[in-house]
Amino acid sequence: MPDIKDENLAVKGKQRIEWAEKHMPVLRLIKERFEKEKPLNGIRIGACLHVTTETANLMITLKAGGAEVKLCASNPLSTQDDVAAALVKEYGIDVYAVTGEDNEAYYKHINSILDFKPQVTMDDGADLVSTIHSKRTECLEEIIAGTEETTTGVIRFKAMERDKVLKYPIIAVNDATTKFMFDNRYGTGQSTLDGIIRATNILIAGKNVVVAGYGWCGRGFALKAKGMGANVIVTEVDHLKALEARMDGFRVKPMNDACKKADIIVTLTGDINVIDKHHFELMKPECLIANSGHFNVEINIDALEEIKKSKRTVRDFVEEYTLKDGKRIYILGEGRLINLAAAEGHPADVMDMSFANQALSAEYIMQTKGKLEPKVYVVPENLDKTIAKLKLEAMGIKIDTLTEEQKKYLASWETGT
Ligand code: ADE
């Protein structure tokens, strides 16, 4: 039995799923082909992804390919309850997810997916696969392979591979170029701002915005914040990325300095305690702090709880903490992914490419069944390139092609000045 908040939300959920579908032309083409070819016939797919309109379209595509699909949430705050209802009532896809679920319900839902003995896993952050490896090892028998959607999950899987504990192959969807260059950069960039704005309704122009981490997500967010008139300061631990941030036109400082000036701090690092106890103490009064990294570990909220005098909710997704010296600071969305907690995650236009990679990776898993080792694999380059080509075509953009002479030149080494 699925576990959702309210099945009466299904009509609204279906409308929103259909709206997203209009903006997912590449996934639509794959769905149309899957309907005819049924490359996933009879395969059980267990997915642990953010339950959004875009994910719904991926689930519908996999089902069109012949798979039996069940979905649970990859974050307790990101579930869109109307989407969950529509998937169950309108599309016949079981969902186990209720927005705001506690940790116990979150893992109960993951276990419901595992009770169904998936043959392919689709993860966003590796909670499903790490549960299989730690507590539900009996599931390993039937699993062919899995996919991983996000940077944090891929890092966890690479650590498992390094420690020789990974038991089945994982396709790192995150590492496909048509995923990270667009979803991580433009998707996180826009949706993080969207989350902060929906939660606070503040003006970005003129604010000092501190961006912790200049990976693809940090780059995207810094770019969008700058575009809205913020004074952006980047903090980094990597010399190369710090240099890149500087040459992209941003100020670069250590967090101890940056936080003293910040009106808004956003963490996008994938690491823990990036904002720690001493930062809260150094921070400018009225600072807003949000996280857009996968897990809610980047802001040390436990430390903040220790040094607070009082706390209250001042708006949806905004907790005001008053410290012992009377200074007030604000945590947005409980330090969870602000773009999915307070907004709707990345727009469908970029999830189109991410989820095209997921769908084609599921097909690739079936084509290579029994041939892959328990390692982390990249999405095959031809799939990545096909997605870029289809996306451009869907956008009505034509590009040039090499002439025979140019191809020959690129393949040669004799011709010089
Ligand atoms: N991750 C980030 N944005 C998302 C979205 N809209 N749907 C699913 N996963 C996401």
Side-chain angles (χ1 to χ4, degrees):
M1 277 289 285
D3 188 11
I4 55 171
K5 186 167 183 194
D6 178 2
E7 56 184 44
N8 295 315
L9 300 171
V11 173
K12 180 176 167 227
K14 184 161 190 268
Q15 282 170 349
R16 295 180 56 245
I17 291 168
E18 286 169 357
W19 175 260
E21 198 262 355
K22 285 184 206 289
H23 300 273
M24 303 181 86
V26 180
L27 193 63
R28 186 185 319 128
L29 282 177
I30 294 170
K31 184 178 83 179
E32 286 162 8
R33 179 170 67 75
F34 274 17
E35 263 157 5
K36 290 191 209 107
E37 298 176 6
K38 301 282 178 209
L40 309 174
N41 222 1
I43 291 297
R44 295 187 301 280
I45 301 183
C48 178
L49 300 169
H50 299 292
V51 181
T52 64
T53 54
E54 294 76 25
T55 300
N57 280 296
L58 173 62
M59 298 299 110
I60 294 163
T61 302
L62 299 173
K63 191 176 175 195
E68 204 190 327
V69 194
K70 292 190 196 283
L71 171 67
C72 70
S74 60
N75 184 294
L77 285 191
S78 61
T79 298
Q80 298 171 7
D81 291 312
D82 57 341
V83 170
L87 279 172
V88 173
K89 298 302 294 175
E90 305 279 343
Y91 298 96
I93 294 172
D94 286 353
V95 180
Y96 305 84
V98 178
T99 189
E101 62 196 16
D102 61 16
N103 221 39
E104 195 188 327
Y106 178 77
Y107 279 101
K108 189 178 110 207
H109 289 152
I110 286 185
N111 277 299
S112 302
I113 298 291
L114 298 180
D115 292 344
F116 151 76
K117 295 278 152 47
Q119 293 157 291
V120 173
T121 57
M122 266 185 191
D123 227 337
D124 186 336
D127 280 346
L128 184 65
V129 181
S130 85
T131 305
I132 294 172
H133 280 70
S134 56
K135 301 197 181 70
R136 298 291 305 265
T137 49
E138 82 282 2
C139 294
L140 288 167
E141 252 169 61
E142 304 217 31
I143 295 180
I144 304 164
T147 64
E148 171 52 51
E149 171 72 11
T150 200
T151 318
T152 294
V154 172
I155 289 171
R156 292 174 90 186
F157 287 129
K158 286 190 176 156
M160 289 171 82
E161 182 186 332
R162 182 201 60 213
D163 292 349
K164 302 199 174 13
V165 294
L166 185 64
K167 298 285 190 226
Y168 63 88
I170 297 288
I171 314 288
V173 165
N174 179 73
D175 294 0
T177 327
T178 46
K179 198 280 182 181
F180 71 80
M181 270 179 64
F182 304 93
D183 165 317
N184 301 25
R185 180 165 39 173
Y186 304 110
T188 307
Q190 177 170 319
S191 63
T192 301
L193 264 175
D194 186 14
I196 294 168
I197 293 169
R198 288 197 208 192
T200 62
N201 195 29
I202 55 154
L203 184 74
I204 302 297
K207 296 285 191 305
N208 288 333
V209 174
V210 173
V211 180
Y214 205 65
W216 287 101
C217 296
R219 285 180 182 111
F221 177 66
L223 183 72
K224 300 292 156 192
K226 180 181 174 184
M228 289 192 74
N231 298 309
V232 175
I233 304 171
V234 171
T235 71
E236 246 307 334
V237 292
D238 180 293
H239 295 106
L240 202 65
K241 289 182 182 155
L243 201 55
E244 188 186 354
R246 179 67 199 172
M247 298 214 182
D248 282 346
F250 302 114
R251 281 175 291 163
V252 177
K253 291 178 188 285
M255 185 56 85
N256 282 355
D257 291 342
C259 71
K260 292 180 190 157
K261 304 238 159 40
D263 298 305
I264 306 169
I265 302 178
V266 182
T267 54
L268 309 101
T269 70
D271 211 341
I272 61 166
N273 298 342
V274 177
I275 302 299
D276 216 339
K277 185 174 165 195
H278 63 286
H279 297 124
F280 297 123
E281 284 161 350
L282 289 170
M283 232 164 244
K284 181 172 140 180
E286 303 294 316
C287 183
L288 307 175
I289 310 148
N291 168 50
S292 211
H294 184 80
F295 287 119
N296 58 334
V297 296
E298 306 209 11
I299 305 168
N300 190 348
I301 295 182
D302 291 342
L304 182 57
E305 290 286 340
E306 275 169 29
I307 60 171
K308 73 163 199 284
K309 188 166 81 188
S310 61
K311 163 172 117 173
R312 64 184 182 130
T313 304
V314 290
R315 285 171 66 95
D316 288 350
F317 305 110
V318 185
E319 294 289 315
E320 178 188 82
Y321 283 81
T322 305
L323 306 195
K324 295 191 176 121
D325 62 1
K327 178 169 80 181
R328 285 188 298 249
I329 55 180
Y330 298 88
I331 299 286
L332 308 188
E334 301 172 14
R336 294 191 187 274
L337 281 164
I338 193 62
N339 59 337
L340 281 139
E344 293 169 64
H346 305 168
D349 309 72
V350 284
M351 294 313 293
D352 186 26
M353 288 188 280
S354 310
F355 285 165
N357 274 292
Q358 286 281 8
L360 294 184
S361 293
E363 183 179 35
Y364 176 71
I365 284 171
M366 297 321 297
Q367 288 162 346
T368 54
K369 187 175 169 187
K371 297 198 187 111
L372 302 179
E373 292 173 52
K375 288 185 177 160
V376 179
Y377 288 87
V378 290
V379 174
E381 198 184 345
N382 63 322
L383 302 186
D384 208 356
K385 288 203 158 143
T386 302
I387 292 168
K389 180 169 175 285
L390 292 175
K391 188 72 177 173
L392 275 173
E393 280 170 12
M395 293 166 86
I397 296 170
K398 295 192 173 56
I399 63 168
D400 292 326
T401 45
L402 293 172
T403 62
E404 284 310 313
E405 184 193 27
Q406 287 171 329
K407 279 189 204 159
K408 198 169 156 213
Y409 177 78
L410 287 177
S412 71
W413 53 270
E414 296 94 339
T415 315
T417 308

